[in-house]
Amino acid sequence: MKYFEKVLIANRGEIAIRVMRACREMNIETIAIYSTADKDALHVKYADEAFMVGEAPPAKSYLNVDRIIDIAHKSGSEAIHPGYGFLAENYSFAKRCSEEGITFIGPSWKTIRAMGSKIESKQSMRDAGVPVVPGTPGGVKSAAEAKNIADEIGYPVIVKASAGGGGIGMQIVENEQALDEAISAGMRMAESAFGDSTVFIEKYLVKPRHIEFQVLADEHGNAVHLYDRECSIQRRHQKLVEEAPSPIMTPELRERMSQSAIAVVETSGYWNAGTVEFLYADGDYYFMEMNTRLQVEHTVTELITGIDIVKQQLAIAAGETLPFEQDEISIRGHAIECRINAEDPLNNFTADPGKIQRYRSPGGPGMRVDSGIHMGYTIPASYDSMIAKLCSWGMTRQEAIARMRRAIYEYVIIGVKTTLPLHHAIMHNKHFIEGNTHTHFLQEEHIQKTLARYVREEEKRMQTLAASLRQGKEIAAITGAVSAYIQSQKKE
Ligand code: MV4
């Protein structure tokens, strides 16, 4: 069954390749777009056909709606997959696609728009009986209303922008004296960032966990969830490590949370793949928002369920009915994803673009590496610094961690600084191993203290490996990696 003849992938890097891989397996022709900065990128070569979309800045290329629509028509593409980021949650783009007779691979533009308003989505979820964080019922209407609500729920409270995302405009308020100023500052920030000054107030949860559910729904009213992911380890709202399932999940909690996730889907008339985000603290969970796109971390869900989420997206977009019911979907084992970014972990994670001098990707049992880079590739400075997703699978969480550690040792990336040493530190961190993570995990002292040591160790390892590789001693480089692993295991 061939759902489309030709699909345009309006994205770049690893996710463009991820989507094209699904298309290739399904015999669907792929159309790539690329900016002038990406003319030598892998996603361009992987596609059946590729079109230059514009100059390097995203506004001129991967956000250039007119050009992208033009290329879709010119190439005879019936559908557009937006990947994540760029146009993935832009309802005007999804609307434009439908006006142009092109299938947008995602939910309807109306659903995207409704989920973009934090107040609107929170209200409809509360009405549907999904737990939400206590706070103002809608936008803050007056200083007096804000004060009353804050008194009622208790400090600290958090001021959030309704149009917000990624924490922009969010402010924590410790006491009544600081409330007025936080609201006006929040409104100013929201206005300048989103052109909508509406803010609302919630009880502030200290060090919550971020737990999300992957969902799939078709256009015929069927919906399933693909279980949970733990995404608490993040820095400035950029996730760094994700795993599935969440290490704190119990059968009872999963039952309740998954029912809420399905209620969110049914209430919003959602279709295609999506993610329902919850905050979890002290045994309670609260709906945060719904992400109406394919996510970076969909890989860990694929590893534990065996379901190819991108293929399901294509089938759903073509009007198919879901091929399984909830009781046919089960979890096997545990999966972890480490985001490998070209960043300097010892210099405030500043982006470190540049040429990959040497590259060797890990492999073996239980590994999956989704990446858009290769040896000799120059990482452009114009885009996100994520260069690879290193994913491990094991029968148990312990085995997934052991495999991830082993893969980090096997990984050779020379030429740019990366987050590999940070992952090395996390995978050996006692609190992580015990599953005790939360959204402020990386700010804790125990990580900061070990990080510098791991970075130095990693630099030494890379130098040794580079020397072996320069001499053509590929095998020595591999055994070098393995003996480094054995040495460090002995130290523990
Ligand atoms: C919160 C919170 C604590 N209490 N809301 C950050 C982004 C936005 N999606 C929601 N966020 C938060 N909302 C209340 N009532 C803490 C955060 C938060 C956070 C949430 C998920 C993942 C990482 C985070 C990092 C800092 C703050």
Side-chain angles (χ1 to χ4, degrees):
M1 172 69 198
K2 191 158 170 175
Y3 301 115
F4 298 104
E5 293 291 329
K6 238 186 221 187
V7 171
L8 184 148
I9 295 92
N11 216 303
R12 62 182 299 282
E14 71 84 20
I15 197 61
I17 295 168
R18 166 70 191 93
V19 174
M20 289 176 198
R21 280 176 166 152
C23 291
R24 196 159 294 289
E25 288 175 28
M26 296 167 97
N27 261 325
I28 296 170
E29 277 187 57
T30 52
I31 306 296
I33 59 168
Y34 63 96
S35 72
T36 50
D38 277 340
K39 64 181 193 335
D40 299 321
L42 212 51
H43 81 276
V44 179
K45 296 175 179 125
Y46 199 99
D48 292 300
E49 257 184 282
F51 292 80
M52 215 281 281
V53 65
E55 300 292 306
K60 298 202 163 156
S61 52
Y62 301 101
L63 294 172
N64 188 342
V65 171
D66 287 336
R67 270 290 289 162
I68 293 169
I69 295 288
D70 197 42
I71 293 169
H73 285 314
K74 206 157 61 187
S75 61
S77 300
E78 305 148 83
I80 296 182
H81 195 302
Y84 52 69
F86 296 124
L87 296 167
E89 291 182 288
N90 182 319
Y91 77 84
S92 331
F93 177 68
K95 183 163 179 274
R96 175 76 184 273
C97 286
S98 91
E99 287 160 3
E100 298 276 346
I102 300 163
T103 303
F104 176 82
I105 300 171
S108 78
W109 66 266
K110 286 181 182 163
T111 308
I112 300 174
R113 187 176 62 181
M115 290 301 182
S117 162
K118 303 291 169 278
I119 290 177
E120 194 185 320
S121 63
K122 188 178 172 184
Q123 257 165 356
S124 55
M125 295 320 149
R126 185 199 292 115
D127 294 345
V130 176
V132 297
V133 186
T136 46
V140 171
K141 286 171 205 74
S142 69
E145 186 211 16
K147 186 183 156 324
N148 283 339
I149 299 266
D151 278 345
E152 204 177 293
I153 60 183
Y155 290 88
V157 298
I158 183 166
V159 177
K160 293 183 177 179
S162 181
I168 299 166
M170 258 177 32
Q171 301 204 78
I172 300 155
V173 184
E174 297 291 345
N175 52 49
E176 193 182 320
Q177 288 71 44
L179 187 61
D180 276 357
E181 176 47 31
I183 290 169
S184 14
M187 288 175 73
R188 278 195 305 274
M189 281 189 262
E191 179 64 43
S192 77
F194 313 110
D196 173 358
S197 67
T198 316
V199 297
F200 62 108
I201 293 177
E202 282 181 349
K203 171 88 191 148
Y204 179 65
L205 309 168
V206 183
K207 298 186 181 177
R209 280 174 184 260
H210 171 142
I211 298 176
E212 58 186 34
F213 274 74
Q214 175 72 52
V215 294
L216 287 176
D218 63 27
E219 296 177 20
H220 313 286
N222 306 299
V224 296
H225 71 83
L226 304 186
Y227 298 89
D228 41 284
R229 293 189 287 255
E230 169 76 53
C231 304
S232 293
I233 299 187
Q234 55 86 39
R235 202 185 155 276
R236 299 196 174 159
H237 307 290
Q238 291 281 13
K239 294 167 188 161
L240 276 156
V241 177
E242 301 100 333
E243 56 184 300
S246 167
I248 59 141
M249 201 52 71
T250 60
E252 301 76 41
L253 181 63
R254 178 173 286 135
E255 184 60 28
R256 287 195 288 140
M257 289 183 84
S258 61
Q259 276 181 16
S260 291
I262 294 294
V264 169
V265 170
E266 287 175 350
T267 305
S268 56
Y270 197 90
W271 67 64
N272 214 283
T275 298
V276 184
E277 277 187 21
F278 297 101
L279 288 187
Y280 171 93
D282 307 320
D284 289 316
Y285 69 89
Y286 310 91
F287 169 78
M288 263 300 104
E289 53 190 76
M290 172 138 201
N291 298 318
T292 59
R293 60 172 190 275
L294 179 69
Q295 288 194 272
V296 175
E297 62 270 25
H298 74 280
T299 50
V300 289
T301 299
E302 292 187 326
L303 286 168
I304 62 160
T305 60
I307 292 171
D308 186 319
I309 295 169
V310 179
K311 281 189 193 166
Q312 294 304 323
Q313 285 194 293
L314 288 156
I316 293 164
E320 291 293 307
T321 302
L322 284 179
F324 33 61
E325 290 181 24
Q326 191 64 59
D327 63 9
E328 296 172 273
I329 305 166
S330 58
I331 296 184
R332 185 162 170 267
H334 199 97
I336 302 173
E337 170 177 277
C338 288
R339 296 194 191 186
I340 313 302
N341 301 342
E343 293 172 356
D344 182 354
L346 287 191
N347 184 19
N348 208 25
F349 292 81
T350 317
D352 190 30
K355 188 170 175 186
I356 309 277
Q357 305 288 351
R358 295 278 169 178
Y359 186 75
R360 192 170 196 287
S361 168
M367 293 314 300
R368 168 174 174 178
V369 186
D370 281 25
S371 155
I373 66 162
H374 53 84
M375 195 146 100
Y377 175 70
T378 300
I379 302 160
S382 311
Y383 311 107
D384 192 87
S385 57
M386 193 180 77
I387 51 173
K389 304 193 302 202
L390 181 60
C391 309
S392 72
W393 177 89
M395 280 304 291
T396 60
R397 185 169 185 268
Q398 207 181 3
E399 186 177 46
I401 294 173
R403 282 183 170 157
M404 185 61 83
R405 290 181 182 180
R406 183 265 292 171
I408 290 169
Y409 282 104
E410 287 182 14
Y411 216 155
V412 179
I413 306 175
I414 294 164
V416 296
K417 294 197 168 75
T418 75
T419 47
L420 271 174
L422 173 74
H423 292 303
H424 189 145
I426 295 169
M427 292 303 132
H428 288 82
N429 181 275
K430 172 170 158 287
H431 303 273
F432 174 78
I433 292 163
E434 288 167 359
N436 291 326
T437 59
H438 52 77
T439 49
H440 295 66
F441 181 81
L442 293 182
Q443 280 149 259
E444 307 249 304
E445 206 183 344
H446 50 78
I447 281 284
Q448 298 302 327
K449 276 206 312 236
T450 50
L451 185 55
R453 179 162 67 80
Y454 282 116
V455 173
R456 281 194 300 275
E457 223 175 75
E458 183 69 6
E459 275 169 357
K460 232 170 47 200
R461 187 174 72 86
M462 287 303 167
Q463 278 160 12
T464 313
L465 297 183
S468 303
L469 287 166
R470 263 198 306 277
Q471 295 161 26
K473 293 177 184 161
E474 178 91 351
I475 299 293
I478 301 164
T479 51
V482 173
S483 63
Y485 178 54
I486 293 165
Q487 287 310 313
S488 107
Q489 294 284 298
K490 279 183 190 154
K491 271 186 271 170
E492 276 170 34

